[in-house]
C-alpha cells in the first residue's frame, strides 16, 4: 500500500486511514519477553532480577484491579491508623502493601523489604540477593477522589553474603547503588516504567489480555521544559532562592500543574518536560518525601532519561541514607530546570 492509499481523504478532508493510524500499529513487545531479551545487560544475570521484576508486575496487576474496583467495594477511606511516616493509612495502602510483600516473599529473590507502610524492614528470605524499597501506593489521599496514584520501587543488591543476617549496609544504600527502579502509574491507563541502568522503558497495561506491552521505548525527558509542579500553598515558608525561581517560571508564563501524586506529576514531566519540587517547608523542614522509597527511584529514572534530581544541595543518588524513613527536599525533572531551580539554594 502506498503513502497516498495510507492517507486517503474522506469527503474532501484529509483523514488518515485506519491502516496508517497509531491504532493499527502492532502492539509492542510484551513485558515478559522484553525482560528476558534484556537480561544479559545485567552484570549479575542469573534470572533472579528478571523474576523479581515479573513479581512486581504481577502484584501491580492485582493492585490495579483493586484500585479500579475501589468505589464498588468497601476499599475507600482510611483504616484509622498512621504509617511509619505519620501519614493516615488508607485501606488500599494496606492492601497494596500486602500484595507486593506477598508477591516478593513468594519469589524468593528478595532478602529484605523496606516499605512506607512498615516501621522497620521486613526480613523475607535470607537466601535472596536483593533488597527492595517500596512505596506500595503513593498519593493515596487521592484514592477517594478518583485521581491517579502510583507504586514506586527501588532494587538494591545486598552487600552481606547470602545466608548472613541482614545488616544496615544492606538497607541504607545510596541511590547510586540501585540496580533497578521503577514505578507503576494507575491512571487513565496503567503503566509500568522502569530502568535497570540501560535507559528507561515504559509499558502500558492491556487489561483484556492481562499483560504489559512496550509502548514508550527509551524514554527521554526534554532538557528544557515549561511545566512546574509544586504545592505553592506552603509558599510563605519557601526559601528566597526558591521564591525567585518560581517567580521566574511565572515571568516566563510557564504552566503550573500539580496532581498531588508524585508518580503522576513525575510521569507527566518526564513525557513533556518540566520540574517537580517538594522543598523544605516550615511544616516539613526536611521536605516531605522519603529518600529510600520515593526519591531514589525517581532520581535514577530521571538521570537515565537525561534529567536531574537534587535535594537542593546534593545529587539525590549520592546521599547516603541515615535512617529508613528519612525525608529529603526533592527537585526532579528536566536537567536545565533542576539546575536553575537549585542554583544558590540556602537550605
Ligand atoms: P499521600 O500518599 O499522603 O497522598 O502523599 C503523597 C505525596 O507523598 C506525593 O505523592 C505528593 O506529591 C505529595 O505527597 C503531596 O503532598 P502535599 O499534599 O503536601 O502537596
Amino acid at each position: 500500500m502506498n503513502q497516498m492509499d495510507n492517507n486517503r481523504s474522506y469527503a474532501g478532508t484529509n483523514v488518515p486511514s485506519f491502516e496508517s493510524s497509531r491504532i493499527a500499529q502492532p502492539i509492542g513487545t510484551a513485558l515478559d519477553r522484553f525482560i528476558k531479551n534484556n537480561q544479559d545487560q545485567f552484570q549479575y544475570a542469573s534470572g533472579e532480577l528478571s523474576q523479581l521484576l515479573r513479581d512486581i508486575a504481577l502484584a501491580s496487576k492485582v493492585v490495579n484491579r483493586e484500585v479500579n474496583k475501589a468505589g464498588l467495594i468497601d476499599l475507600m477511606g482510611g483504616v484509622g491508623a498512621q504509617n511509619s511516616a505519620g501519614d493516615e493509612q488508607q485501606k488500599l495502602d494496606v492492601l497494596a502493601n500486602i500484595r507486593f510483600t506477598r508477591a516478593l516473599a513468594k519469589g524468593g529473590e528478595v532478602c529484605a523489604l523496606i516499605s512506607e507502610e512498615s516501621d522497620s524492614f521486613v526480613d523475607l528470605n535470607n537466601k535472596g540477593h536483593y533488597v527492595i524499597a517500596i512505596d506500595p501506593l503513593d498519593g493515596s489521599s487521592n484514592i477517594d477522589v478518583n485521581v491517579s496514584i502510583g507504586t514506586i520501587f527501588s532494587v538494591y543488591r545486598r552487600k552481606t553474603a547470602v545466608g548472613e543476617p541482614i545488616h544496615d549496609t544492606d538497607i541504607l544504600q545510596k541511590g547510586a547503588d540501585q540496580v533497578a527502579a521503577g514505578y507503576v502509574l494507575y491512571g487513565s491507563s496503567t503503566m509500568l516504567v522502569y530502568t535497570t541502568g540501560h535507559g528507561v522503558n515504559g509499558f502500558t497495561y492491556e487489561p483484556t489480555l492481562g499483560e504489559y506491552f512496550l509502548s514508550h521505548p527509551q524514554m527521554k525527558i526534554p532538557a528544557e521544559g515549561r511545566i512546574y509542579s509544586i504545592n505553592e500553598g506552603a509558599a510563605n515558608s519557601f526559601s528566597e532562592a526558591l521564591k525567585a525561581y518560581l517567580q521566574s517560571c511565572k515571568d516566563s508564563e510557564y504552566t503550573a500543574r500539580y496532581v498531588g501524586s508524585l508518580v503522576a506529576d513525575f510521569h507527566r514531566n518526564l513525557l513533556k518536560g518540566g520540574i517537580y519540587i517538594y522543598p523544605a517547608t516550615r511544616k516539613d523542614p526536611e521536605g516531605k518525601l522519603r529518600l529510600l522509597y520515593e526519591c531514589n527511584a525517581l532520581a535514577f529514572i530521571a538521570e537515565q532519561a537525561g534529567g536531574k534530581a537534587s535535594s537542593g544541595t546534593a545529587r539525590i543518588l549520592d546521599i547516603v541514607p541515615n535512617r529508613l524513613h528519612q525525608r529529603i527536599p526533592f527537585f526532579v525533572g528536566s536537567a536545565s530546570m533542576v539546575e536553575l531551580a537549585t542554583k544558590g539554594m540556602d537550605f
Side-chain angles (χ1 to χ4, degrees), residues 85-86 284 286-291 323 325-329:
D284 292 304
E286 297 183 298
K288 179 184 178 190
L289 303 180
R290 276 53 62 124
L291 175 61
R323 60 186 189 284
H325 300 289
Q326 183 179 349
R327 296 173 192 265
I328 200 90

Side-chain angles (χ1 to χ4, degrees), residues 160-206:
T160 52
V162 166
E164 277 182 22
I166 305 301
H167 192 263
D168 271 2
T169 50
D170 298 315
I171 301 297
L172 300 177
Q173 299 192 47
K174 62 179 188 297
D177 293 340
Q178 289 171 101
V179 294
Y183 60 83
V184 182
L185 173 62
Y186 310 99
S188 51
S189 58
T190 296
M191 279 195 72
L192 171 69
V193 174
Y194 82 95
T195 182
T196 54
H198 299 275
V200 180
N201 290 287
F203 299 78
T204 301
Y205 184 57
E206 214 297 11

Side-chain angles (χ1 to χ4, degrees), residues 87 116 135 137-142 231 258 260-263 265 276 278 283 288-290 294:
D87 300 327
E116 183 182 24
D135 181 351
L137 213 55
D138 168 68
S140 51
S141 56
N142 276 328
N231 182 350
Y258 191 71
S261 286
L262 172 60
V263 173
D265 282 312
Y276 171 96
Y278 207 109
K283 185 165 155 255
K288 179 184 178 190
L289 303 180
R290 276 53 62 124
E294 292 178 320

